[in-house]
Amino acid sequence: MQPILINGTFRASAASESFTALNPNTRAAIPGDAYPLSPWSDLDGALDAASAAFETMLTLPRATFAAFLENYAAKIEAHLEP
């Protein structure tokens, strides 16, 4: 089963169930491992990490955060299909 990313670290999920990802264009299964159906304990960890990240983000200068968002948007746009 694929690991989950919480607080910048990949780790095993506490999940007992999983799903297979599908290609949205063909609806065919994407080869590889299954993905976890994360239980609440995984979600609580992710929410705790997000809350801590938000508190850190509030201390950043607005220009720094704006530059981060612009860079992130540019990376998304660079991968758009025509």
Side-chain angles (χ1 to χ4, degrees):
M1 191 173 326
Q2 290 288 327
I4 56 174
L5 177 65
I6 295 180
N7 201 24
T9 303
F10 283 100
R11 65 175 181 85
S13 170
S16 59
E17 298 181 62
S18 63
F19 69 96
T20 301
L22 300 178
N23 178 320
N25 190 40
T26 66
R27 305 292 295 162
I30 296 174
D33 290 338
Y35 295 89
L37 289 173
S38 290
W40 284 113
S41 59
D42 287 346
L43 300 177
D44 286 339
L47 291 171
D48 289 344
S51 291
F54 178 73
E55 292 301 322
T56 299
M57 184 206 69
L58 290 175
T59 67
L60 294 175
R62 288 184 181 195
T64 301
F65 189 61
F68 165 78
L69 292 175
E70 290 290 337
N71 185 43
Y72 194 77
K75 289 182 181 198
I76 292 171
E77 290 171 356
H79 288 86
L80 290 178
E81 294 183 12

